[in-house]
Structures are given as C-alpha cells and as structure tokens.
Amino acid sequence: MKKLLIVTLLAILPILSFAKVPDCDSWPMQMSTTWLQKTGIVSIEDLDKSKIQSTLLASEKKAKGLYTQIYHFIFYDKKGNIYETITKNDASFEECSETGVDVYLISKSYINKRVNINKRVNK
C-alpha cells in the first residue's frame, strides 16, 4: 500500500509543480502578422487565420509579476506557403502587451510550381 502511495505521489507532484503563466499569444501573434506585412513578406489578407499555430516555448517569471515569453508561430497563406516566427515579449496576468514584441522570421517555405522537365531550352 505504501508503494502505491509513493508511486501515485511521484506521478502527481510534477503536474502540481507547473506554475500558471499568462496565456498571452494574441499580442505577439498580432505583432508577428503586422511585421510580416510591413516587411513585405506576406499580406495579412493572404493569411489563412484558421490554420495559425502557436506554441509557448518558454515563460520566465521576472520581478513585479512580469513574465518574459517566447512563442513560436506558424502561419499559412491561402496558397499553402508557410511562414514561421519566434517572438519575445513581456506579459503579465493583467496585460499581455507589457512591452513591445521582438519578431524573428525563422523560416518561409514556398510551394514550388510544377516545372515541365521535358521542355527543351533553345540555346
């Protein structure tokens, strides 16, 4: 019986140790899409908003209730092209936009058009 209790506690304790962090992906996501448009990479209207993926990679608690958060976003446009960004900003439980957002483009993948390899090029 003691063995079962110890095993149960060992299984539950890691779950209980996760600290709650602000759920603030909307602010850096919005800043990412704005940045993608301003830099001429893709227009916001061309993005398929239903396919956007976000992952919180890290959240570090700082002084006075601030958390530095790192997000990974994957955006798809309507042609199937993919754009990935990493963002860094500070957030709190009261305000997601405590600071500006640093946006880094880490990948852009374009769907290649089919090329007829049998087509001859005249020299």
Side-chain angles (χ1 to χ4, degrees), residues 56-67:
L56 178 62
L57 298 178
S59 185
E60 178 183 21
K61 187 172 183 179
K62 296 169 51 172
K64 300 180 183 176
L66 287 180
Y67 292 79

Side-chain angles (χ1 to χ4, degrees), residues 51-111:
K51 292 184 178 179
I52 296 173
Q53 298 173 11
S54 72
T55 305
L56 178 62
L57 298 178
S59 185
E60 178 183 21
K61 187 172 183 179
K62 296 169 51 172
K64 300 180 183 176
L66 287 180
Y67 292 79
T68 297
Q69 296 192 319
I70 309 293
Y71 277 95
H72 174 225
F73 295 102
I74 303 174
F75 302 95
Y76 298 86
D77 68 16
K78 294 172 183 166
K79 297 175 185 174
N81 300 320
I82 302 168
Y83 311 90
E84 294 185 63
T85 62
I86 297 284
T87 62
K88 176 185 171 254
N89 71 295
D90 288 347
S92 69
F93 286 105
E94 293 78 32
E95 182 63 48
C96 289
S97 58
E98 291 285 355
T99 63
V101 178
D102 295 329
V103 180
Y104 306 95
L105 179 68
I106 59 169
S107 173
K108 63 181 177 180
S109 303
Y110 296 108
I111 302 297

